[in-house]
Amino acid sequence: MDKFQTLEDIFANDQFDILNVKPKVSSARNADERLSASFGEVNDFFAKYNKEPQPNPGNISEFQLYSRLKSIRSDIEKMQSLEEQDIHGLLNFEAKEINSIDDIFNDDTFDLLDDDSDLFEFKHTPKDYERAPSDFVARRKPCKDFDKYEMLFKDIQKDLGDGKRKLVDFKEDNLREGDFYVHNGVLMLLENINLTQEETYVEGKRLRKDGRTRCIFENGTESNMLYRSAAKILYANGKVVTQNMDKVNENFIERFSNITDEDAAAGYIYVLRSKSKDERIIEIDNLYKIGYSKVEVEERIKNAEKDPTYLMAPVKIITSWKCYNMNPQKLEQLLHNFFGKSCLNIDIFDEKKRRHTPREWFIAPIDVIEQAIELIISGEVVKHRYDEKNMIIIEI
DNA sequence: TTTAAACCGAACGTGTTTTG
DNA sequence: CAAAACACGTTCGGTTTAAA
């Protein structure tokens, strides 16, 4: 097809008549009409009671009319557009002549001038307080034993590249000795924290926990800035480097490799996704059920459509693990503790209209759920917690 | 509901390096 | 060489969030 040269070409070529748009005929009233109708009600009130509506808390409709009138009076444009309609003189239109200082003060509709505070009392400017002096100001300087750390930084970079570690938003409670951070794009190791002051409140004044740190930077410098300074710069432009998940999972594999089929009480932990057509369910991304079954998972879910546990709908198996010596109650409790607010909270009604609240559905990405299950099986879960905002598991 | 901690932002200080 | 620009560090207040 030729390229269109002008807008006219485009309109002339409208074979499906899609550009022939008629202006929408709106039956809705426009703002002026609404305002007019609204003022009409105030007029009706005045005609009926021969007084202005008062701020009478006992009478909601009178209060509404009072508020309306007040709002109209505070807006010069509304006043003007309603001038002709003002049959009871409610809007009192005469322009006041301003000749004297007194006239100005008397015309103070918004109480702007009725402020008895001192002009020289600064309420919204910073106070001129004494700042506590610091013992000294840390400076970044070349790190004398950087060769000790160089490989660590290289490893972290590699893990980041391989996706084994991630960068997540900084929070003060993940400022920990031995952890890695990124500040202004530079990797940083918080090598040491030496807290010399715990958080206390003295005479209403807040003293925060603080103390010198040793921070090593990827570029071969180090700084002994204060703990609070480290927190501050990372809030401003920093990230946290997460733990290497492979290391976390190693323990799990070790624990599993020496378990045999002869072990007692084998069962399956499984992860499912719902095929429900329910709007409430469809609109939730990353919704999975984690469950435990003594029989094969396929067997367990055969009647999913009739089981409120499965949201009365078919399900799709995502993964399952064979496991041993698992206590189902404990599993459920662990999951709820771990995922906290990420549990699905929804009411499901079965065929007899009885209400159920399934408790084993969780909102989290599948890789996080798999990690969580591995941590639960290995027992390592107690050393971790789930960060809902970043949707990631963090070592405590 | 009250209280404590976490979070976030900002003012401002102190050295170091660059520039006129 | 002093001033200005820059980089980094310290302290504090207010608001939001979590815990008791």
Side-chain angles (χ1 to χ4, degrees):
Chain A
M1 192 189 286
D2 289 339
K3 282 193 180 159
F4 297 116
Q5 294 302 309
T6 66
L7 279 177
E8 276 172 34
D9 292 341
I10 292 171
F11 280 104
N13 203 327
D14 181 19
Q15 53 181 315
F16 299 116
D17 205 29
I18 56 177
L19 301 178
N20 185 14
V21 180
K22 292 202 178 67
K24 204 158 117 192
V25 182
S26 170
S27 62
R29 293 188 292 183
N30 64 27
D32 276 347
E33 286 163 344
R34 281 199 302 274
L35 178 66
S36 171
S38 149
F39 185 61
E41 286 177 47
V42 178
N43 269 340
D44 293 346
F45 183 94
F46 192 90
K48 195 166 167 191
Y49 300 105
N50 197 32
K51 62 165 190 174
E52 285 184 18
Q54 301 299 311
N56 175 3
N59 186 335
I60 306 276
S61 60
E62 183 176 352
F63 197 102
Q64 281 179 327
L65 293 176
Y66 160 78
S67 307
R68 243 179 239 177
L69 182 57
K70 194 173 158 201
S71 121
I72 290 168
R73 281 174 172 164
S74 69
D75 185 331
I76 190 71
E77 284 185 26
K78 285 183 186 169
M79 298 257 283
Q80 278 164 355
S81 74
L82 292 171
E83 187 173 7
E84 285 187 9
Q85 228 184 311
D86 184 20
I87 47 181
H88 302 297
L90 291 170
L91 302 182
N92 192 17
F93 235 115
E94 79 208 56
K96 286 186 189 152
E97 269 189 45
I98 306 285
N99 292 320
S100 66
I101 299 282
D102 281 345
D103 288 346
I104 292 172
F105 278 98
N106 288 335
D107 194 44
D108 183 17
T109 316
F110 300 113
D111 263 359
L112 294 174
L113 306 176
D114 187 26
D115 185 355
D116 52 3
S117 67
D118 194 321
L119 183 59
F120 296 102
E121 237 176 62
F122 297 96
K123 283 187 199 156
H124 304 292
T125 48
K127 300 225 167 38
D128 186 19
Y129 51 78
E130 287 278 309
R131 280 169 75 95
S134 64
D135 44 357
F136 64 92
V137 177
R139 308 299 305 171
R140 293 191 191 179
K141 52 183 189 284
C143 175
K144 33 196 184 310
D145 50 356
F146 187 66
D147 50 333
K148 257 169 64 185
Y149 304 100
E150 196 164 6
M151 273 317 292
L152 291 178
F153 285 114
K154 295 229 165 84
D155 289 347
I156 299 283
Q157 287 286 15
K158 185 164 189 306
D159 287 352
L160 284 168
D162 294 347
K164 288 178 185 167
R165 293 175 188 260
K166 291 180 181 170
L167 299 180
V168 298
D169 290 345
F170 175 76
K171 299 276 176 292
E172 196 156 327
D173 70 334
N174 46 38
L175 198 53
R176 281 192 306 258
E177 241 174 45
D179 274 8
F180 286 84
Y181 307 85
V182 175
H183 177 236
N184 285 344
V186 179
L187 270 180
M188 173 188 124
L189 165 64
L190 183 51
E191 200 255 339
N192 171 271
I193 302 173
N194 178 21
L195 288 179
T196 52
Q197 181 178 283
E198 284 303 319
E199 176 137 359
T200 48
Y201 287 80
V202 187
E203 297 156 23
K205 278 191 75 175
R206 175 175 55 174
L207 278 172
R208 295 170 223 229
K209 75 172 175 183
D210 209 348
R212 290 290 164 185
T213 66
R214 182 166 184 234
C215 299
I216 318 282
F217 295 87
E218 191 183 17
N219 61 10
T221 61
E222 68 170 281
S223 168
N224 51 356
M225 72 176 87
L226 289 170
Y227 174 85
R228 295 217 47 75
S229 297
K232 196 252 155 224
I233 63 170
L234 290 173
Y235 269 130
N237 191 348
K239 291 279 181 183
V240 182
V241 180
T242 61
Q243 305 296 313
N244 182 324
M245 273 311 155
D246 280 4
K247 294 252 170 67
V248 173
N249 291 344
E250 263 171 32
N251 297 327
F252 155 73
I253 294 160
E254 257 173 48
R255 242 177 117 113
F256 256 53
S257 49
N258 52 16
I259 295 178
T260 67
D261 276 354
E262 279 88 60
D263 266 309
Y268 303 89
I269 293 180
Y270 56 85
V271 177
L272 306 170
R273 185 189 262 293
S274 177
K275 294 181 182 168
S276 170
K277 301 268 194 319
D278 188 330
E279 280 294 332
R280 296 176 300 172
I281 312 259
I282 291 171
E283 70 184 14
I284 303 174
D285 287 334
N286 293 325
L287 177 67
Y288 297 97
K289 174 181 164 62
I290 307 173
Y292 175 81
S293 166
K294 294 227 170 189
V295 297
E296 296 266 339
V297 183
E298 288 80 0
E299 182 68 22
R300 177 73 181 85
I301 64 170
K302 265 197 313 202
N303 288 317
E305 297 103 297
K306 290 175 184 156
D307 191 340
T309 309
Y310 298 104
L311 310 176
M312 305 294 286
V315 293
K316 178 169 183 259
I317 301 174
I318 307 294
T319 44
S320 70
W321 291 258
K322 193 166 188 184
C323 60
Y324 305 88
N325 306 319
M326 183 59 68
N327 174 339
Q329 283 81 39
K330 197 167 175 205
L331 172 69
E332 187 185 331
Q333 196 194 333
L334 277 171
L335 285 169
H336 277 271
N337 286 345
F338 191 73
F339 283 111
K341 288 174 192 150
S342 298
C343 299
L344 178 70
N345 189 6
I346 201 170
D347 287 338
I348 295 292
F349 294 90
D350 65 16
E351 288 167 321
K352 292 176 184 157
K353 302 284 180 223
R354 284 175 305 199
R355 185 163 65 96
H356 298 264
T357 312
R359 304 245 305 140
E360 294 189 324
W361 291 82
F362 301 94
I363 301 157
I366 184 64
D367 55 327
V368 167
I369 286 184
E370 290 180 349
Q371 259 175 34
I373 292 170
E374 287 169 1
L375 289 170
I376 284 172
I377 296 173
S378 71
E380 293 286 308
V381 69
V382 293
K383 294 188 205 158
H384 296 76
R385 68 174 183 80
Y386 180 52
D387 176 345
E388 286 150 37
K389 201 172 149 215
N390 292 303
M391 301 208 288
I392 197 155
I393 294 173
I394 294 173
E395 197 172 337
I396 301 171

